[in-house]
Amino acid sequence: MNIILLGPPGAGKGTQGVLLAERLGIPKIATGDLLRDAVKHGTPLGLKAKAVMESGALVSDDIIMGIVGEELAKPASSRGVIFDGVVRTIPQAEGVARLLDGMGRKMDLVLFFDVTDQEVLSRIEKRRTIEGRADDDPTAVQRRLTAYREQTAPVLDWYEARGGVTRIPAVGSVEAIADRVRKAVGR
Ligand code: ADP
């Protein structure tokens, strides 16, 4: 089963994605985590992505599609994956659809984590004091929200026109939201 988690930064996709991946026994492709790891280890990919990520802008579609292609080709991904943080642009939506199609697969479920900007801002501020992510500073956060509105929000309509989107109200306890996800997924 291939599932995509969509929603603004700080919507809780990462937290719910881990729980869902464990429950379904399939891996999660989290481009933000993979990129942060590359930055930490100073790999060529990390060197390319570092400044863009820290500014709060989106990394190029080419780089992202390279990462997704590699992850999808891994044997562990053959029974399905959870996409967390990809897809963030229409070209990425098209690219992922093409990759899946080439493998005789499709996106089975699109979950949209719905939260207000105000909730997002307060969650990210809390996370900044705990994790100290460079892109959680207020200027970068504003840029990430703008990138979300301008480049990622249209992706919802793209999926809406191709099979639909399931909305998950993403405010409440981690358990309550996990329960909504479980119902949407059906297991
Ligand atoms: P969050 O969901 O909290 O915004 P992520 O960890 O998913 O954060 O992503 C952090 C940063 O990594 C993004 O702001 C962006 O610079 C980069 N990034 C991650 N995934 C993508 C993607 N699919 N396309 C473009 N940039 C990405």
Side-chain angles (χ1 to χ4, degrees):
M1 191 174 200
N2 302 293
I3 303 175
I4 182 166
L5 313 181
L6 285 177
K13 305 182 297 283
T15 307
Q16 294 298 331
V18 171
L19 297 174
L20 185 58
E22 271 171 16
R23 196 168 65 247
L24 300 181
I26 56 177
K28 179 167 101 116
I29 300 182
T31 40
D33 291 346
L34 293 167
L35 287 167
R36 266 187 296 280
D37 210 47
V39 170
K40 196 168 96 198
H41 291 99
T43 67
L45 169 65
L47 294 176
K48 263 194 246 170
K50 187 171 190 287
V52 179
M53 285 179 78
E54 288 180 357
S55 76
L58 293 184
V59 172
S60 78
D61 290 333
D62 280 358
I63 290 184
I64 297 298
M65 289 318 302
I67 300 177
V68 175
E70 256 175 47
E71 293 299 313
L72 270 180
K74 291 182 176 169
S77 302
S78 63
R79 289 194 310 114
V81 293
I82 293 165
F83 295 90
D84 164 16
V86 249
V87 167
R88 272 175 143 96
T89 65
I90 302 257
Q92 289 179 24
E94 291 166 347
V96 168
R98 244 187 331 263
L99 280 175
L100 287 175
D101 192 48
M103 304 169 100
R105 291 157 59 175
K106 63 178 174 56
M107 199 63 82
D108 299 296
L109 190 61
V110 180
L111 299 180
F112 168 56
F113 287 71
D114 199 1
V115 280
T116 61
D117 277 10
Q118 208 182 359
E119 175 71 19
V120 158
L121 289 171
S122 89
R123 285 185 191 178
I124 291 180
E125 183 52 29
K126 211 178 287 162
R127 180 170 76 184
R128 180 158 78 113
T129 61
I130 299 169
E131 295 178 18
R133 261 172 60 172
D135 61 348
D136 278 348
D137 86 74
T139 318
V141 168
Q142 279 309 328
R143 230 176 261 142
R144 283 160 63 201
L145 284 177
T146 305
Y148 175 76
R149 263 184 233 115
E150 292 177 356
Q151 292 170 275
T152 309
V155 170
L156 277 179
D157 297 333
W158 192 92
Y159 281 115
E160 199 67 77
R162 290 167 182 77
V165 172
T166 303
R167 181 178 157 274
I168 308 283
V171 182
S173 67
V174 170
E175 295 74 30
I177 299 166
D179 206 49
R180 290 174 203 146
V181 171
R182 194 176 308 128
K183 287 194 181 107
V185 173
R187 60 195 164 112

